[in-house]
Structures are given as structure tokens and as C-alpha cells.
Amino acid sequence: MIIVMERNTSPDAIAMITGKLEDKGFQVHLSQGVERTIIGAIGERTQATMEMFETMPGVEKIVPILQPFKLASREFKQQPSTVMVGNNMVGSGSLQVIAGPCAVEGRELFLEVARMVKEAGATMLRGGAFKPRTSPYSFQGLEEEGLEILAEAREVTELPVVTEIMDPRMIALVARYADVLQVGARNMQNFFLLRELGKIDKPILLKRGPSATIEEWIMAAEYIISSGNPRVIMCERGIRTFEKYTRNTLDLSAVPLIKQLTHLPVIVDPSHGTGKWKLVEPMALAAVGAGCDGLMVEVHQNPSEALSDGPQSLTPENFNSMVKRINNLKAALQ
Ligand code: PEP
Ligand code: MN
């Protein structure tokens, strides 16, 4: 539930409420506005507890949060959240373009593509150092060497880097190199991993699981936020349906829905969302039209030689023309 305090309530009255809430086993989240304090209380709400808090000094009203997700919900926080990644603000009208190969394959190759995507207008770099592959015999990523290459590319391009985290044991290592930790689709409901990511001070890019409903996906965000890390960026990357012409079905209705149900920024990955490079630009345009806060796109100098996800990777030239078109569309929509 949310406890809305009267204007200019004294810190003592607020402390009394939060103390009482904690006694009753609630988790307390304070949101201090200029005039008003709002107290988010997560726990088991009964009619009796609501009535008890309603009569305490300084309380204006109690609003129950009806959704199963609380801290992520619009009910809890009406203003959209922004997430700072270096100097880039994700949310609040900007359009972030995260680009790079599926996997970091080698130093020269990655540094070259990093420069190319920056030149074309990318605002962040991507590249997996730990790859979740369907087959244990496929390329699994360069691991720490890949992280070192990512960090070097950040130095050279001055762009923040996004990379996947698959295992709680690797969080400290990956967080040492990366600016944003990506939870891949396959790990969206790895609740232990989500909880551990709630304890670090880095933005988390949370991909939607291939079979996750929107509610399950927001509940995954709730795990991270309720563990202490509010810097969550949602990423729609397609879900599994009966359709076979595309690798996944990109659910763009998720973009306005996430914005209506939560205060979190949401970006779209049309590469995994379609699996086909020829569909990436049209779906990127559609995602911008749907109101996303950014795009994540796979780019490779030579897609036919890529160690993973070549068929969905844009060449740097195609990426360059896509960025021009999305920027034109974004400007026209403003
Ligand atoms: C990726 O971004 O390369 C990736 C593995 O994505 P997803 O988890 O969405 O499949
Ligand atoms: Mn990929």
C-alpha cells in the first residue's frame, strides 16, 4: 500500500509511521517530494492495518496497490523513471541506440565495429563475453578476455558498454568492466540472480523471457528493485509463438503497456525479436513509433562469418542507414 502524508508533515510523524510499519513486518520505501512524502509499504495488507495507519497523525490517505508488482508500478511512482548510464539518460524522451555484435569475438574486430557504430550514431556498445548458447558445443564467449576488450572499446569510443551476466558468481567480475549488466531472456526468472543484481549499484537491462507474460516480466523487475536496485531498464526481445518465419514474435504492444503499468524505461531489441536482418530496420522504426526509449541492435562487419547470430546482424552500412531513418522518425514524432 501507499501512505500519502499530508503536506509538510514533520520528520517525527514520518518516523513514527515507518517505525510502526517495520514493526508490522512491512518493507518501507520512502519517496520524498518537495512538499509531500509518500511511503511505500510492501507487505501483507489487511483492512485492519489500513484502518490503523489511516488514523495516525500526518496521514492524508492510504492507497492500496492492486497490482502484484508494487515498486515497479505506476501506482507507486507516477513520474516515469530515468536511468543514467554514464552521461546518457535512458528514458524521458531520449532514444538510446545500443549496438555491437552478438558476441565479442576478438580485439581488432570489436574495436573496429565499435568505432563504426559510434560513427553511425550509436550511444552505447553491446557485445556478449559470456554467451548463453542452446548447444554446449557452440562458441560460449571469450569470458574475461571479452570483458577486457569491452573496457578497451569504452576507452576508445567513450561509449558505455552493455554485456550479459548469466551467473551470480560472475557479478563482481562483470560489474568491474561493464556499465550495464544485461539479464538475458533465458535468465529472466533466475530469481537468485535477480536478487543478487538488486544488491549492486549498476543499471540492469532486463530482457523479457521468451515465454514470459508481461506481468511475469515486471515481477522479475520487482525482484531487482525490491532487493535494492531501482535502476532497471526493460527490454522487449520477442516471445516464442507458433510463427516460424521469424525467430521470435516481437511484441511491440509491450512498449506502451510497460509504460502504462510501470514507471520503468523500456527499450526494444529487433534483432532477437525477428532473427532476420531484413526485418530489423522496419521493426526498429515500429518500436520508435510505439514509444520505446531505445533500441538494441546487433551489428557485425561480416554477418556471414559471425560466431553467433549472423543472420540477424546488420552490416555497419545498414546500421548507419537505419540510425538515420530512426532519428528522422523520432524528430518527426516530437
Ligand atoms: C543477446 O543479446 O545476444 C542475447 C543472447 O539475447 P536474448 O537473451 O534476448 O536471447
Ligand atoms: Mn545475440
Side-chain angles (χ1 to χ4, degrees):
M1 63 188 168
I2 291 167
I3 303 180
V4 181
M5 303 300 288
E6 288 164 353
R7 277 170 208 278
N8 308 315
T9 325
S10 73
D12 283 354
I14 294 167
M16 200 150 93
I17 308 266
T18 56
K20 189 105 183 156
L21 283 168
E22 278 159 2
D23 286 350
K24 297 257 165 221
F26 283 87
Q27 216 190 13
V28 177
H29 297 262
L30 275 191
S31 158
Q32 228 119 22
V34 186
E35 289 185 341
R36 221 186 260 284
T37 298
I38 290 173
I39 305 171
I42 312 296
E44 207 182 336
R45 161 178 58 84
T46 61
Q47 194 57 31
T49 46
M50 280 179 58
E51 279 164 13
M52 181 178 84
F53 283 102
E54 214 149 36
T55 53
M56 286 183 69
V59 173
E60 184 174 299
K61 61 177 175 185
I62 312 268
V63 186
I65 303 179
L66 301 173
Q67 303 283 12
F69 41 89
K70 310 292 177 193
L71 301 171
S73 76
R74 272 271 170 174
E75 291 164 292
F76 177 68
K77 183 168 180 282
Q78 267 135 43
Q79 292 309 312
S81 292
T82 55
V83 176
M84 289 307 292
V85 179
N87 295 324
N88 297 357
M89 187 187 278
V90 187
S92 104
S94 67
L95 186 73
Q96 300 298 324
V97 182
I98 307 168
C102 179
V104 180
E105 297 176 0
R107 184 173 172 273
E108 268 72 43
L109 214 52
F110 191 80
L111 292 180
E112 182 184 55
V113 79
R115 286 197 193 92
M116 287 170 138
V117 296
K118 179 180 176 166
E119 184 75 13
T123 59
M124 294 186 216
L125 298 176
R126 65 147 289 146
F130 294 92
K131 294 305 302 175
R133 303 306 300 279
T134 302
S135 165
Y137 309 117
S138 303
F139 174 61
Q140 304 283 310
L142 295 181
E143 305 192 343
E144 188 162 0
E145 186 193 342
L147 296 173
E148 284 165 3
I149 296 169
L150 282 164
E152 188 178 347
R154 176 187 37 220
E155 291 275 299
V156 173
T157 60
E158 295 180 338
L159 295 181
V161 297
V162 183
T163 199
E164 181 159 351
I165 176 76
M166 294 205 293
D167 188 309
R169 290 169 294 186
M170 298 295 168
I171 293 177
L173 176 73
V174 175
R176 202 153 54 212
Y177 292 97
D179 300 287
V180 178
L181 276 66
Q182 169 180 329
V183 177
R186 291 156 192 81
N187 267 311
M188 189 208 82
Q189 282 188 318
N190 182 339
F191 300 117
F192 190 79
L193 175 65
L194 300 176
R195 279 222 170 91
E196 291 299 307
L197 291 172
K199 298 179 190 160
I200 65 166
D201 186 21
K202 289 263 165 149
I204 309 297
L205 184 77
L206 179 62
K207 288 198 153 193
R208 180 177 181 182
S211 64
T213 63
I214 288 176
E215 187 171 297
E216 287 164 341
W217 180 25
I218 302 173
M219 291 307 279
E222 187 80 11
Y223 264 90
I224 302 171
I225 303 171
S226 65
S227 303
N229 185 355
R231 300 166 76 192
V232 177
I233 304 161
M234 306 293 271
C235 179
E236 165 62 40
R237 50 76 75 202
I239 49 176
R240 184 168 287 190
T241 68
F242 50 78
E243 181 49 60
K244 291 196 193 143
Y245 279 115
T246 47
R247 182 179 180 187
N248 291 291
T249 296
L250 189 62
D251 176 14
L252 288 182
S253 59
V255 173
L257 265 170
I258 290 294
K259 294 208 164 278
Q260 284 160 27
L261 294 168
T262 80
H263 51 84
L264 303 172
V266 56
I267 72 163
V268 172
D269 170 352
S271 305
H272 294 86
T274 62
K276 295 194 164 163
W277 73 267
K278 281 191 181 172
L279 299 182
V280 170
E281 180 182 304
M283 295 314 283
L285 289 163
V288 171
C292 70
D293 298 299
L295 296 164
M296 172 135 120
V297 176
E298 287 184 341
V299 182
H300 196 284
Q301 292 96 320
N302 192 353
S304 63
E305 297 282 314
L307 296 180
S308 57
D309 288 350
Q312 67 193 33
S313 298
L314 295 181
T315 59
E317 297 71 41
N318 286 335
F319 175 70
N320 190 44
S321 65
M322 184 201 81
V323 173
K324 288 206 172 77
R325 297 198 68 202
I326 59 166
N327 284 338
N328 285 344
L329 175 63
K330 182 78 184 162
L333 289 171
Q334 263 152 6

